[in-house]
Short mmCIF file of all heavy atoms in Angstrom, two decimals:
data_model
loop_
_atom_site.label_atom_id
_atom_site.label_comp_id
_atom_site.label_asym_id
_atom_site.label_seq_id
_atom_site.Cartn_x
_atom_site.Cartn_y
_atom_site.Cartn_z
N VAL A 499 106.12 33.68 107.41
CA VAL A 499 105.30 33.50 108.69
C VAL A 499 104.51 34.70 109.03
O VAL A 499 105.24 35.80 109.50
CB VAL A 499 106.31 33.12 109.89
CG1 VAL A 499 105.51 32.81 111.11
CG2 VAL A 499 107.20 31.96 109.41
N GLU A 500 103.35 34.73 108.80
CA GLU A 500 102.42 35.93 108.90
C GLU A 500 102.65 36.63 110.14
O GLU A 500 102.42 36.01 111.24
CB GLU A 500 100.97 35.55 108.61
CG GLU A 500 100.20 36.78 108.37
CD GLU A 500 98.72 36.46 108.00
OE1 GLU A 500 98.40 35.25 107.60
OE2 GLU A 500 97.84 37.36 107.98
N GLY A 501 102.96 37.87 110.15
CA GLY A 501 103.06 38.84 111.22
C GLY A 501 104.39 38.59 111.97
O GLY A 501 104.69 39.37 112.91
N LEU A 502 105.16 37.69 111.55
CA LEU A 502 106.38 37.57 112.37
C LEU A 502 107.76 37.66 111.54
O LEU A 502 108.55 38.09 112.05
CB LEU A 502 106.36 36.07 112.95
CG LEU A 502 105.48 35.92 114.02
CD1 LEU A 502 105.49 34.40 114.51
CD2 LEU A 502 105.59 36.81 115.29
N GLY A 503 107.73 37.15 110.20
CA GLY A 503 108.93 37.40 109.42
C GLY A 503 108.96 36.29 108.35
O GLY A 503 107.93 35.79 107.87
N VAL A 504 110.28 35.94 107.89
CA VAL A 504 110.42 34.86 106.87
C VAL A 504 111.51 33.95 107.24
O VAL A 504 112.31 34.19 108.15
CB VAL A 504 110.81 35.72 105.54
CG1 VAL A 504 109.63 36.40 105.00
CG2 VAL A 504 112.09 36.53 105.71
N GLN A 505 111.43 32.76 106.53
CA GLN A 505 112.34 31.64 106.72
C GLN A 505 112.69 31.01 105.55
O GLN A 505 111.81 31.06 104.59
CB GLN A 505 111.81 30.63 107.78
CG GLN A 505 110.62 29.98 107.43
CD GLN A 505 109.95 29.21 108.52
OE1 GLN A 505 110.07 29.57 109.55
NE2 GLN A 505 109.25 28.10 108.04
N GLY A 506 113.84 30.36 105.49
CA GLY A 506 114.26 29.60 104.19
C GLY A 506 115.61 29.16 104.43
O GLY A 506 116.33 29.30 105.36
N ILE A 507 116.11 28.39 103.18
CA ILE A 507 117.41 27.81 103.27
C ILE A 507 118.27 28.70 102.32
O ILE A 507 117.87 28.86 101.15
CB ILE A 507 117.39 26.39 102.66
CG1 ILE A 507 116.36 25.64 103.53
CG2 ILE A 507 118.83 25.75 102.79
CD1 ILE A 507 116.68 25.51 105.09
N VAL A 508 119.41 29.18 102.71
CA VAL A 508 120.30 29.91 101.92
C VAL A 508 121.67 29.32 102.06
O VAL A 508 122.28 29.22 103.17
CB VAL A 508 120.45 31.41 102.39
CG1 VAL A 508 121.33 32.05 101.40
CG2 VAL A 508 119.10 32.04 102.31
N ASP A 509 122.23 28.72 100.91
CA ASP A 509 123.56 28.11 101.00
C ASP A 509 123.67 27.09 102.11
O ASP A 509 124.70 26.98 102.76
CB ASP A 509 124.66 29.11 101.25
CG ASP A 509 124.90 29.91 99.84
OD1 ASP A 509 124.39 29.50 98.76
OD2 ASP A 509 125.58 30.98 99.87
N GLY A 510 122.61 26.25 102.34
CA GLY A 510 122.61 25.17 103.26
C GLY A 510 122.38 25.67 104.62
O GLY A 510 122.36 24.80 105.64
#
Side-chain angles (χ1 to χ4, degrees):
V499 184
E500 192 171 345
L502 292 179
V504 291
Q505 60 188 29
I507 308 296
V508 182
D509 286 347

